[in-house]
Amino acid sequence: MFPLQRNRRLRTNESIRSLVRETSLSPQDFMLPMFVAEGKDVKVAIPSMPGIYRHSLDNTIKEVKEAWDLGIKAVNIYVKVSDSLKDNKGVEAWNKDGLMQQTIRAIKDAVPEMIVMPDVALDPYSIYGHDGIIENGQLINDATVDALTRMSLSHAEAGADFVAPSDMMDGRVLAIRKALEENGHHNVGIMSYSAKYASAFYGPFRDALDSAPVDSQNIPKDKKTYQMDYANRIEGIREALLDVEEGADIVMVKPGMAYLDIVREVKNAVHVPVAVYQVSGEYAMVKAAAEKGWLDHDKIMIEQLYCIKRAGASIISTYFAKEAAVILNK
């Protein structure tokens, strides 16, 4: 009771504020999403994501080394697949000499201690831009799971530390875990996109990979039959619990800032690390507002990352990783 308790005593100066601060943030909390393209010495800007590029493999390795030197310990890999390699079944996804598999091997050769988590989903390989196989105008769950399992095995054989299924098919974590065990990949982990919502925040990402659903009357126009309804909370918790039961080592909530209530709920429900993806639209909004002079870019960036960590994130996948690491290292 006041005046016996004066809460402002603990806010008097930065020294006391830092001493009692409840949440800490460091570059080791970050995972850097990276876009890889075919070719050599390629660096293609993504207009809707200022400062982010599609890099060829040689430049990707330079980026990985720079990230490691900044203290970032994990990368999340996505590939831009040539249209000529796309089909409805995603066969290129498990090509042992495909761009993703080459990238995994190259990163592990260049920076062996960097944790490599390749994306597992068919949308970059699909002629329809969907995360699975389309039949009779519907996305087929079980056939897609079989394809994702083959994809995951190819990533493990290339040297991935974790596979990261982002597709939201039912039962895929269990199928992938069984396949990894049966093929001797006991130490390859699974970071499951467990509570992945059907969000409009993903727009710039689809520009980056040219992976938006094709506009056609014969296929679903969006991803709402497999990604989650953003009106739901309990469903996200249920998905995370099921993925842990099926063998997920890490569960993810995606997007980030608008879903911090889900992050906290999932954190309270599971006993594995929780990852959060601060997605492309969240990144683009900060960049756009800062360019207008409406927000202080660096202060907003760090504040948002602290808020995600405070909500319960053990890992933050963020396009701000390198910029934030530079500030935090100072």
Side-chain angles (χ1 to χ4, degrees):
M1 183 182 296
F2 179 87
L4 301 180
Q5 294 291 332
R6 290 181 181 266
N7 293 336
R8 289 182 56 201
R9 294 183 191 125
L10 299 180
R11 305 172 198 152
T12 303
N13 52 53
E14 178 56 23
S15 295
I16 188 61
R17 290 194 297 270
S18 64
L19 190 64
V20 300
R21 188 164 291 141
E22 300 172 32
T23 304
S24 61
L25 187 70
S26 80
Q28 295 184 41
D29 295 319
F30 302 148
M31 177 163 55
L32 176 63
M34 305 186 75
F35 302 121
V36 186
E38 296 280 5
K40 188 174 182 180
D41 196 25
V42 173
K43 183 179 180 181
V44 179
I46 302 167
S48 55
M49 300 175 68
I52 303 298
Y53 301 86
R54 288 197 299 265
H55 288 288
S56 53
L57 186 50
D58 52 336
N59 286 334
T60 296
I61 296 305
K62 294 176 184 177
E63 288 286 301
V64 170
K65 290 179 177 179
E66 182 180 338
W68 180 263
D69 289 342
L70 288 169
I72 297 165
K73 306 298 185 184
V75 290
N76 191 200
I77 306 300
Y78 302 85
V79 293
K80 171 69 170 67
V81 179
S82 169
D83 288 345
S84 65
L85 297 174
K86 295 181 180 183
D87 60 23
N88 184 32
K89 295 185 177 180
V91 173
E92 177 64 15
W94 54 87
N95 177 0
K96 65 183 179 63
D97 295 316
L99 181 57
M100 177 67 86
Q101 290 77 2
Q102 292 180 47
T103 302
I104 295 167
R105 288 193 291 267
I107 293 174
K108 294 305 291 185
D109 285 344
V111 189
E113 293 182 69
M114 179 67 84
I115 300 299
V116 179
M117 299 192 186
D119 179 59
V120 176
L122 296 187
D123 51 330
Y125 304 89
S126 169
I127 55 175
Y128 299 121
H130 274 285
D131 291 36
I133 297 168
I134 302 293
E135 291 182 10
N136 299 319
Q138 301 293 324
L139 192 147
I140 306 303
N141 190 93
D142 295 3
T144 297
V145 169
D146 291 341
L148 297 171
T149 300
R150 297 183 69 174
M151 186 178 182
S152 297
L153 282 175
S154 76
H155 293 176
E157 289 161 4
D161 299 284
F162 284 74
V163 294
S166 63
D167 56 284
M168 290 299 289
M169 297 301 111
D170 292 333
R172 91 278 206 211
V173 173
L174 180 59
I176 292 169
R177 185 71 267 163
K178 285 183 174 179
L180 291 172
E181 293 297 320
E182 290 168 0
N183 288 274
H185 299 296
H186 311 299
N187 293 325
V188 175
I190 298 174
M191 180 183 70
S192 173
Y193 289 56
S194 298
K196 181 179 179 180
Y197 287 84
S199 171
F201 284 107
Y202 304 149
F205 176 94
R206 292 172 182 163
D207 291 342
L209 292 185
D210 188 24
S211 62
V214 174
D215 186 11
S216 170
Q217 292 182 345
N218 300 321
I219 62 170
K221 64 180 180 180
D222 54 40
K223 301 188 176 186
K224 292 182 180 180
T225 66
Y226 46 102
Q227 295 178 359
M228 289 172 45
D229 185 341
Y230 55 70
N232 293 353
R233 177 180 60 86
I234 295 172
E235 184 183 13
I237 303 166
R238 183 170 70 246
E239 288 280 3
L241 290 170
L242 286 171
D243 282 357
V244 172
E245 288 180 5
E246 292 182 13
D249 302 280
I250 302 168
V251 296
M252 177 180 277
V253 176
K254 182 181 180 182
M257 286 300 297
Y259 295 80
L260 295 187
D261 59 322
I262 310 301
V263 176
R264 174 43 58 185
E265 294 271 17
V266 169
K267 180 70 171 181
N268 290 343
V270 302
H271 298 286
V272 299
V274 176
V276 174
Y277 201 144
Q278 187 184 35
V279 300
S280 58
E282 298 173 275
Y283 173 88
M285 288 167 64
V286 173
K287 290 292 182 182
E291 286 177 5
K292 288 285 190 180
W294 296 340
L295 294 174
D296 184 309
H297 176 278
D298 291 353
K299 288 181 180 179
I300 289 293
M301 173 180 67
I302 295 298
E303 180 179 344
Q304 289 196 350
L305 292 169
Y306 260 101
C307 291
I308 294 170
K309 182 76 182 294
R310 186 194 66 221
S314 304
I315 302 165
I316 305 172
S317 185
T318 175
Y319 301 98
F320 288 120
K322 288 171 59 181
E323 291 176 276
V326 169
I327 292 173
L328 293 171
N329 286 334
K330 291 180 179 178

